[in-house]
Amino acid sequence: MMTAAITVCDVSKTFTMHLRDGIKIPVVSGVNFAIKAGECAVLGGPSGAGKSSILKMLYGNYSTDFGAILLSHNGEEVDLSKAEPRKIIELRRDTIGYVSQFLRTVPRVSALDVAAEPLTQRGEDYEVARKKAADLFAQLNLPERLWNLPPATFSGGEQQRVNIARGFITDHPILLLDEPTASLDAKNRAVVVDLITQKKAAGVALLGIFHDEDVRTKVADRIIDVTTFAGSKAA
Amino acid sequence: MSDQPLLSVNDVSKFYGSRVGCRDVSFDLYPGEVLAVVGESGSGKTTLLNCISTRLEPTNGSVTYRMRDETTRDLYQMSEAERRFLMRTDWGFVHQNPADGLRMAVSAGANVGERLMAVGDRHYGNIRETAIDWLGRVEINEDRVDDQPRAFSGGMRQRLQIARNLVTGPRLIFMDEPTGGLDVSVQARLLDLIRGLVSDLGLAAIVVTHDLAVARLLSHRMIVMKDGHVIESGLTDRVLDDPHQPYTQLLVSSILQV
């Protein structure tokens, strides 16, 4: 495929901290890149360079001050940076998946239901969705005794695997990964590398942050150096 | 999601003499969408909710609603009887204090059944059966159906109030601090229940709360009010994770971490 799945054009972002006398913290400016279907790009740069902020803007979780984030959604081109809340919810349901660093748990909802939810939201049959979640849990070596428990009391690595299953369960054409392997052991890191490779083969465009060098070398088609988008701060 | 709003609020203001209750509030609500209205006490949240739900006539502005027959009606141009019928059938209103939304001296089953009778159901057996079904869905045991809500705990009363409101299959539900005054374990159970019912039934909802965690858990979108004005609005996770207004930043930074 020649067309980009997601194109970021001249995006910038500054935080204004009103409780700190309105101090302005430039995060990134002049962010430009595009990711093709079937490609996995990795955001590189030291902590605080703005990697997570870029990912959050691409998911609509942070606003942008300037620029455009263009993607193709159900056949039409959409600028996510200017989309209405309803549109962003629709984009998240159908087009952009996201694996966050930490799982936000809901009381009383089981791990299986947490992972199955992105599918049931799209109208998939409840049992089919749970079966798919269970398959992913098995692949990720999540102990079966945990599947029907709410993940609130799980360890960091266990929660992260629930989160990964939730992110990988759909066939979203774009997938954002915020350090999905940070609290995993070598065996499960390898599983995630496999899952990413499968997504690439299926034509998904991936953008991720990976601090683990080994994982990064295995999955990255290229590195996007975030320090070139530094806001006007003296780094 | 449908492309036509279910409810449109246009420049609604309410003045109490020279005091501002709420001022120039506008938004659309779509089917299946949950909107949280947050802000501190006295910010105008409840005034706004009452103006939208026809409990308090606004000084200015209009509120339109798309009826089941797809006609769009101005709520304050409708007759009192039509408004009452809408409130009893297509709408629900969950009060912070369950005693305001329940009849405390009649049985739990009758509290639920009464709404059904209001829409014309007359068969005692059906009404009782539906009431018991709804009590089950809000996790109240069948053997409590003949008890009065006076004999229920606060959390149970709130769940009964929800069952009473949802039994007629409304499309829009208003909630005023639905978990206020409940202890946290009861709150979590209630929130989870509301979250499940709202998404299973595809309900649209407007939830007034001062608790940002409640807003995050339940709503898609939120509006932040201060001194009667809407000062910030948008996608719930964006307003909470990337707040722009000084007051919203203060609210978010004031959440205690557990």
Side-chain angles (χ1 to χ4, degrees), chain A residues 13-20 57 59-65 80-81 83-86 88-90 92-93 104-109 117, chain B residues 1-4 30-31 33 139 188-193 195 216-217 220-221 234-235 237-239 241-247 249-250 253:
Chain A
K13 169 91 185 152
T14 298
F15 286 116
T16 306
M17 314 294 272
H18 291 287
L19 306 180
R20 294 269 178 272
M57 286 190 276
Y59 195 56
N61 179 229
Y62 282 2
S63 66
T64 55
D65 298 340
L80 181 142
S81 68
E84 291 290 313
R86 288 180 69 228
I88 295 178
I89 290 170
E90 204 186 292
R92 290 175 178 181
R93 191 190 62 207
R104 196 175 281 284
T105 56
V106 176
R108 300 208 308 168
V109 180
E117 190 185 49
Chain B
M1 273 191 242
S2 162
D3 275 344
Q4 289 291 320
Y30 289 83
E33 202 174 35
E139 302 170 12
R189 181 178 184 187
L190 188 68
L191 282 174
D192 174 48
L193 185 80
R195 186 178 172 272
R216 189 185 292 262
L217 198 65
H220 302 111
R221 261 191 321 139
L235 202 63
D237 62 275
R238 185 187 291 186
V239 173
D241 294 340
D242 185 14
H244 284 218
Q245 293 299 316
Y247 177 69
Q249 291 188 355
L250 177 66
S253 68

Side-chain angles (χ1 to χ4, degrees), chain B residues 7-108:
Chain B
L7 182 88
S8 285
V9 177
N10 310 296
D11 292 322
V12 163
S13 301
K14 175 69 188 176
F15 301 103
Y16 299 102
S18 60
R19 270 190 314 116
V20 175
C22 64
R23 184 167 214 161
D24 298 333
V25 179
S26 297
F27 64 83
D28 289 334
L29 186 75
Y30 289 83
E33 202 174 35
V34 180
L35 176 81
V37 181
V38 306
E40 64 197 355
S41 300
S43 60
K45 307 186 295 284
T46 300
T47 295
L48 175 65
L49 188 74
N50 287 339
C51 282
I52 300 168
S53 59
T54 73
R55 299 162 57 83
L56 180 70
E57 187 156 1
T59 316
N60 291 310
S62 71
V63 184
T64 61
Y65 183 71
R66 186 157 55 86
M67 311 289 281
R68 284 185 193 239
D69 65 4
E70 297 291 319
T71 57
T72 299
R73 301 284 306 274
D74 185 327
L75 294 177
Y76 288 97
Q77 305 292 325
M78 291 164 83
S79 70
E80 183 63 28
E82 284 177 301
R83 279 207 295 267
R84 279 180 180 282
F85 185 71
L86 194 65
M87 285 216 76
R88 279 202 311 256
T89 57
D90 215 22
W91 289 7
F93 197 107
V94 176
H95 297 263
Q96 175 173 7
N97 180 358
D100 294 338
L102 292 172
R103 296 220 289 145
M104 299 303 279
V106 304
S107 72

